[in-house]
Amino acid sequence: MKLHLYNTLTRSNQLFAPLKPDVVRMYSCGPTVYNYAHIGNIRAFLFPDLLQRVLRVVCGYRVEWVMNITDIEDKIILDSSLGSATWKPEMGVQTNNPNDNAAKLALFYEREFLNDLSIIGIKRSDFHAIPRATDFIGEITALVRKIVENGFGYESDGSVYFNLAEWRKSEKYGQLFTIDTENFRAGVRIDADEYDRDQVSDFVLWKAHKEGEPSWDFELNGKNLRGRPGWHIECSAMGHATLGLPFDIHTGGVDLRFPHHEDEIAQSKAGYGVETSAFWCHNEFLEVEGTKMSKSKGNFFTLRDLLDKGLDAMDIRFAMMSAQYNSVFNFTFFGLESARKARFRIQDYIHDLHESPLDSSALTSSYISEFRREVFAELLNNLHTPKALERVFAYINAHPAGSLDEESRNHLIAFFRELNAIFEVWVISKRPEKHVEIPEEVRNYAEQRWQAKIERNFALADQMRLKISELGFTVLDSKDSYTIEELPH
Ligand code: AMP
Ligand code: ZN
């Protein structure tokens, strides 16, 4: 089955086909690990997770999914200084060497992040690689060198910049995002990794060493430019090293279109001479009361904040998956509650399917095939999860679980299993048998009652029964033994 995907590069819903037969190579911009991920960030990873699952489960492709870890960047350095809010004593602040502190901070939050991914149902085994920027310094410096050799980069004060004026003579800059070049002046440089569209300038590829910052040697034209990479060049080098260029799909949040992705496209082409990716796909923001959730605005919840409030990670996952990835998701607690109800409506139906009696006169298997085709068609239409779920609800509302013969019931259960390989929020089985631990006290009373009955001391037996029921249990007698059961709540 064929997938249509919105491609920011062509500004259209495009029919997807991988560049190499049967394997889809996909790169997702990962987190900058200087703090706990907030659930807005998590949306940016649930989107490629959904996409890779649809590509595997519905389209039948093998997927090589790479998500990087940005473990060297301005914010990490800033926050690894002693006394910063995200620096925690348990990371072990026992060194004055700032190089170590940045690495420790990054490693700490990388672990927390990977843990969050598994809590939210993103599986480690679904990744082809999770490269860390600091493990690719050799590839990064090689790329900077190539860009300079090809005439699109230059050194200034120990840093290396991308020569945008030179690049724009023959190449397009601003493919994903409409860029404001009115203020652009050739040779004006910007050292920050993040900047606005009206600050388009020669952006930094390699940053000269500053006192107290982590740094690496970099030999360029016989000079050692000790320093560290800019943010954008990291993804160019890691995408090339782990997947080869061009690959099929590049993902990230809409805020990454410019400058991060725009600069990535320019760097990779200037250095490697090839395009980066056939499809560029961007998730919209998760908002709180009309404002993007972000660390800097302070309007954020981390996953652990929500779990601490007693919320279930599967409800958070389902709530986010219930909205189309490229529409704004408005986060509310009421929304999470509704998502929970909706999730359980489907969960109950799946349990009922296993438990209800069969009806041989009922729906045929081809009816289920058609239902499956319709649900998948919605997912193949740019991952339209809300419409796919709408079809699931329409089906379960119209067809009680008992209205199936054996073949069509098995068929429907198999379909829910496939659907869960995408949504990953249900249990595809009978209701689990509740295992009730019977307290020692209850067992003692029950035994005393049984002895009292044998001795025909019915008054004592009744007293024991009362004590047992006060503890929430009851005894059922048969001819020569008894069982203990929990009373319904
Ligand atoms: P960062 O760790 O800041 O580099 O962000 C990691 C990913 O989260 C990027 O793809 C961002 O575009 C994305 N992101 C950040 N804030 C939000 C938000 N409120 N909603 C959705 N995605 C976001
Ligand atoms: Zn990136």
Side-chain angles (χ1 to χ4, degrees):
M1 294 204 228
K2 293 284 183 221
L3 171 69
H4 278 85
L5 206 50
Y6 185 80
N7 188 352
T8 311
L9 198 61
T10 57
R11 314 277 199 284
S12 64
N13 259 334
Q14 230 179 290
L15 183 66
F16 175 79
L19 299 168
K20 289 185 185 173
D22 299 328
V23 58
V24 178
R25 288 165 302 144
M26 177 162 98
Y27 183 94
S28 300
C29 281
T32 303
V33 280
Y34 70 107
N35 202 335
Y36 293 108
H38 59 65
I39 54 161
N41 299 136
I42 286 179
R43 185 177 199 209
F45 308 116
L46 279 176
F47 155 53
D49 183 45
L50 170 70
L51 178 53
Q52 62 93 10
R53 284 165 181 265
V54 168
L55 286 163
R56 282 191 292 109
V57 176
V58 185
C59 307
Y61 295 123
R62 188 163 68 78
V63 179
E64 289 182 355
W65 181 23
V66 170
M67 183 193 60
N68 76 290
I69 302 278
T70 299
D71 66 342
I72 183 71
E73 200 254 2
D74 293 354
K75 292 187 288 250
I76 296 174
I77 294 170
L78 203 67
D79 278 15
S80 63
S81 56
L82 302 184
S84 94
T86 53
W87 182 263
K88 299 211 177 290
E90 63 263 31
M91 293 169 196
V93 189
Q94 81 279 66
T95 170
N96 288 328
N97 178 347
N99 199 349
D100 264 358
N101 278 359
K104 274 187 204 155
L105 180 98
L107 198 59
F108 177 86
Y109 285 111
E110 176 190 308
R111 286 198 190 128
E112 296 299 313
F113 170 72
L114 295 175
N115 196 29
D116 283 352
L117 287 193
S118 77
I119 291 172
I120 205 74
I122 299 177
K123 294 180 184 163
R124 264 309 254 288
S125 55
D126 282 344
F127 288 104
H128 175 64
I130 307 182
R132 269 189 208 126
T134 55
D135 291 334
F136 286 80
I137 298 292
E139 286 81 356
I140 293 170
T141 50
L143 175 57
V144 176
R145 200 174 289 118
K146 273 188 189 158
I147 294 172
V148 173
E149 277 167 15
N150 293 346
F152 297 111
Y154 61 91
E155 187 242 315
S156 171
D157 287 336
S159 293
V160 182
Y161 298 87
F162 191 85
N163 187 339
L164 204 53
E166 191 58 33
W167 182 247
R168 289 175 72 227
K169 282 183 192 163
S170 56
E171 297 283 342
K172 196 164 176 321
Y173 182 75
Q175 299 191 57
L176 302 173
F177 196 72
T178 311
I179 285 165
D180 189 347
T181 49
E182 222 171 88
N183 297 323
F184 176 70
R185 301 278 174 273
V188 173
R189 292 178 283 277
I190 188 153
D191 284 300
D193 290 317
E194 291 174 69
Y195 49 94
D196 291 332
R197 68 166 100 193
D198 59 358
Q199 294 176 300
V200 171
S201 319
D202 287 357
F203 55 88
V204 68
L205 303 172
W206 184 258
K207 301 187 181 201
H209 175 63
K210 282 195 197 134
E211 190 53 39
E213 287 192 358
S215 58
W216 291 263
D217 286 326
F218 169 36
E219 198 72 27
L220 183 73
N221 299 331
K223 242 166 114 179
N224 184 13
L225 304 180
R226 196 166 172 80
R228 63 181 172 94
W231 174 34
H232 316 305
I233 197 86
E234 295 176 4
C235 283
S236 281
M238 284 187 277
H240 175 261
T242 53
L243 292 172
L245 301 188
F247 46 78
D248 298 293
I249 304 173
H250 197 309
T251 77
V254 275
D255 54 335
L256 297 193
R257 285 174 301 173
F258 176 83
H260 187 55
H261 289 167
E262 208 60 67
D263 292 352
E264 190 182 333
I265 291 175
Q267 293 161 160
S268 296
K269 185 128 189 234
Y272 303 124
V274 282
E275 298 299 338
T276 302
S277 178
F279 277 70
W280 287 82
C281 301
H282 296 97
N283 63 280
E284 253 299 345
F285 288 138
L286 178 145
E287 292 188 352
V288 188
E289 288 162 9
T291 312
K292 174 195 172 193
M293 178 175 281
S294 75
K295 284 163 199 159
S296 60
K297 293 197 186 82
N299 63 345
F300 68 93
F301 291 107
T302 63
L303 189 55
R304 73 199 50 229
D305 289 336
L306 298 183
L307 301 183
D308 286 349
K309 285 179 189 293
L311 294 162
D312 187 324
M314 290 305 99
D315 294 329
I316 301 165
R317 180 179 169 98
F318 188 63
M320 293 210 217
M321 301 265 265
S322 306
Q324 202 180 5
Y325 74 93
N326 62 344
S327 64
V328 169
F329 180 86
N330 191 25
F331 175 82
T332 63
F333 287 97
F334 178 75
L336 280 188
E337 188 51 39
S338 311
R340 181 175 179 79
K341 285 190 189 132
R343 180 167 79 89
F344 272 93
R345 170 84 181 92
I346 296 176
Q347 180 64 78
D348 280 337
Y349 190 83
I350 295 169
H351 287 325
D352 289 347
L353 272 181
H354 287 85
E355 293 162 17
S356 303
L358 294 169
D359 177 353
S360 57
S361 65
L363 293 179
T364 60
S365 196
S366 66
Y367 190 90
I368 309 291
S369 296
E370 181 56 19
F371 165 51
R372 175 183 181 272
R373 200 197 56 73
E374 284 173 1
V375 173
F376 281 173
E378 300 293 4
L379 293 175
L380 292 170
N381 177 19
N382 200 26
L383 310 179
H384 209 310
T385 47
K387 280 200 180 152
L389 289 170
E390 218 177 276
R391 290 201 183 261
V392 173
F393 283 114
Y395 176 88
I396 66 180
N397 288 334
H399 305 288
S403 60
L404 295 164
D405 65 18
E406 191 168 5
E407 188 196 348
S408 40
R409 176 166 76 179
N410 291 342
H411 194 165
L412 188 55
I413 289 173
F415 166 65
F416 275 114
R417 193 163 282 119
E418 286 179 298
L419 199 64
N420 197 46
I422 295 165
F423 283 86
E424 193 85 40
V425 292
W426 298 295
V427 177
I428 312 296
S429 66
K430 301 201 279 205
R431 281 183 181 77
E433 303 246 331
K434 237 174 61 196
H435 178 72
V436 183
E437 201 61 46
I438 298 168
E440 173 104 5
E441 206 182 355
V442 172
R443 276 191 268 124
N444 285 341
Y445 288 141
E447 192 51 35
Q448 287 175 40
R449 176 182 168 274
W450 187 249
Q451 289 307 323
K453 267 190 70 174
I454 291 171
E455 290 158 18
R456 305 191 63 79
N457 185 348
F458 297 112
L460 183 63
D462 283 348
Q463 275 176 30
M464 292 299 124
R465 174 182 282 283
L466 199 65
K467 283 185 188 289
I468 291 165
S469 65
E470 278 166 1
L471 292 169
F473 290 84
T474 188
V475 273
L476 302 174
D477 293 336
S478 60
K479 199 163 149 273
D480 35 35
S481 73
Y482 63 92
T483 54
I484 308 172
E485 288 195 0
E486 197 184 21
L487 286 168
H489 296 295

